Amino acid sequence: MIDVTFFEIEKSLNILLYLLLMEYRNKLMLAPMVRVGTLPFRMLAAKYGADITYGEEIIDHKIIKCERRVNDVLGTTDILEKGTDNVVFRTCPEERNRVVFQMGTSDAMRALKAAEIVCKDVAAVDINMGCPKAFSISGGMGAALLSKPDLIHDILTTLRRNLDVPVTCKIRLLKSPQDTVELARRIERTGVSALAVHGRKVPDRPRDPAKWNEIADVAAALSIPVIANGDVFEYEDFQRIRDATGASSVMVARGAIWNASIFSSEGKVPWEDVKREYVRESILWDNDIKSTKHTLKEMIAHYSSLGIPEALAVIKSDTLADLAKLYGEEEYYEYVSESRRKQMT
């Protein structure tokens, strides 16, 4: 009995320490974005002022087939598919106190098994309850959870009881404001540290205006921090959405893809400079070429089209060396490559 008591005390102290390190109030956050929110983009957003950076959603089925490995050459911790060098999730000590691992799941015990693989290397674990895409919903994940409050309770309470790091989740609006508030209150009772609310419903498209007033209903009803998400495209929008919703913090997705310096209080950096800096970060952290190309195409498509010479050159690029040449970063690529060769000898 004494051993159990000491264990519970130690666990409670560990959770308290993480909560002190991971404050969810008055923060600017990078939203989770598939194929974009890898280590280079998270580091870039943090350089420009993001306080908390979410990784891309990764499905629990995938993580439980992985193993943790320290990469001494890159200075990272890699979650790899067992028996391969395929990186599923990569992080580093520099982001340890701000990176949030977002998971797609539909089962409490499987979520716990996956979270236990990554929890020592991240600041918090978040459950995706808002993704409206077919692959997510068909697997009972993402927005499919919104209609299953008992399963939500099971997943969140299981993680809260067994992990030392904070647990949060991200939802969308339900059919009525009352339904959203009722679900948010149930989520709060699970003991999560914060709740992110995307101000759109499942059928809504990105072009549909975010309903800040319905986020405000949730923020007024809860005592835990509420994170507002939706239609933040300029630095000034951070304060606008705070004022309109009463939310504790703000999360941005598309606005950050289009120009990651949206987080800077000094104003946006020229778009061309942001792209080059992203390429440098991708080189530094040896990012997957497909992920880097996808993110660059998203950046280009917003300001121009994928038919311009630059976009076509990105599409044709097979390696990070190709992208380094395209964006005038050959010297940096060679410098990083030579540094790695020296480390390995």
Side-chain angles (χ1 to χ4, degrees):
M1 186 67 181
I2 294 176
D3 290 339
V4 173
T5 302
F6 276 125
F7 172 78
E8 290 177 345
I9 292 173
E10 181 182 21
K11 189 174 184 64
S12 297
L13 289 173
N14 285 337
I15 293 173
L16 178 59
L17 176 60
Y18 277 112
L19 288 173
L20 290 173
L21 292 173
M22 193 63 170
E23 173 56 56
Y24 284 95
R25 298 185 189 277
N26 300 314
K27 301 298 181 183
L28 308 184
M29 304 184 184
L30 176 69
M33 293 178 283
V34 173
R35 297 178 69 186
V36 173
T38 55
L39 180 57
F41 198 81
R42 297 195 305 267
M43 296 297 284
L44 182 65
K47 276 187 177 181
Y48 287 126
D51 300 302
I52 296 174
T53 54
Y54 284 60
E56 61 176 337
E57 177 198 18
I58 301 177
I59 307 305
D60 55 6
H61 284 288
K62 195 165 190 176
I63 290 296
I64 61 177
K65 296 175 183 176
C66 292
E67 59 187 358
R68 178 183 182 275
R69 189 185 305 170
V70 174
N71 187 326
D72 292 323
V73 175
L74 294 180
T76 61
T77 299
D78 296 343
I79 307 300
L80 308 171
E81 291 181 10
K82 289 179 181 177
T84 76
D85 291 324
N86 297 332
V87 177
V88 173
F89 178 72
R90 171 169 285 165
T91 185
C92 65
E94 293 94 319
E95 68 166 3
R96 172 66 181 78
N97 292 329
R98 66 171 178 266
V99 62
V100 178
F101 180 82
Q102 194 191 57
M103 185 193 313
T105 187
S106 60
D107 181 85
M109 295 312 297
R110 193 169 60 240
L112 177 60
K113 186 177 180 181
E116 288 175 335
I117 294 173
V118 301
C119 66
K120 291 181 174 60
D121 302 296
V122 299
V125 171
D126 182 83
I127 301 301
N128 184 337
M129 299 183 181
C131 180
K133 294 184 179 178
F135 83 89
S136 191
I137 291 178
S138 64
M141 303 176 291
L145 291 172
L146 296 176
S147 60
K148 301 175 182 177
D150 291 339
L151 179 55
I152 288 176
H153 180 272
D154 190 23
I155 292 170
L156 295 177
T157 54
T158 297
L159 294 178
R160 276 284 295 111
R161 289 168 182 164
N162 292 281
L163 298 180
D164 288 340
V165 298
V167 175
T168 61
C169 66
K170 184 171 185 280
I171 67 171
R172 280 182 175 246
L173 301 175
L174 300 186
K175 290 183 179 180
S176 74
Q178 294 79 13
D179 289 342
T180 306
V181 169
E182 182 180 345
L183 178 63
R185 283 174 170 157
R186 290 195 66 169
I187 289 172
E188 181 177 42
R189 289 196 291 271
T190 67
V192 294
S193 299
L195 173 65
V197 183
H198 185 172
R200 292 183 176 86
K201 300 175 182 179
V202 173
D204 290 343
R205 309 308 301 159
R207 63 178 176 270
D208 297 321
K211 300 171 180 65
W212 288 4
N213 59 313
E214 294 192 31
I215 299 177
D217 293 335
V218 176
L222 303 190
S223 58
I224 60 171
V226 170
I227 304 160
N229 174 221
D231 290 353
V232 175
F233 304 117
E234 303 292 339
Y235 183 81
E236 293 72 23
D237 291 337
F238 286 118
Q239 192 58 51
R240 286 182 57 241
I241 193 171
R242 272 202 191 113
D243 292 342
T245 64
S248 303
S249 294
V250 181
M251 177 182 284
V252 58
R254 287 179 296 159
I257 296 179
W258 299 338
N259 191 321
S261 65
I262 188 175
F263 295 102
S264 174
S265 60
E266 298 176 1
K268 285 183 179 177
V269 172
W271 174 56
E272 297 294 338
D273 294 344
V274 174
K275 284 186 294 183
R276 281 194 295 270
E277 188 62 32
Y278 172 66
V279 170
R280 288 169 67 93
E281 291 288 339
S282 292
I283 293 168
L284 179 62
W285 301 109
D286 194 25
N287 197 43
D288 176 71
I289 184 65
K290 292 180 181 178
S291 167
T292 300
K293 287 170 61 173
H294 173 79
T295 303
L296 287 170
K297 287 188 291 182
E298 289 288 316
M299 293 177 178
I300 294 167
H302 174 65
Y303 291 96
S304 186
S305 78
L306 295 181
I308 66 172
E310 177 191 352
L312 294 174
V314 168
I315 293 168
K316 291 178 181 178
S317 296
D318 294 321
T319 65
L320 289 175
D322 293 338
L323 291 176
K325 184 176 181 180
L326 176 62
Y327 287 97
E329 294 295 342
E330 299 101 317
E331 287 188 15
Y332 184 73
Y333 180 86
E334 288 303 322
Y335 167 75
V336 172
S337 298
E338 180 61 25
S339 297
R340 286 180 190 150
R341 284 192 287 269
K342 289 179 179 178
Q343 282 184 281
M344 295 173 70
T345 57

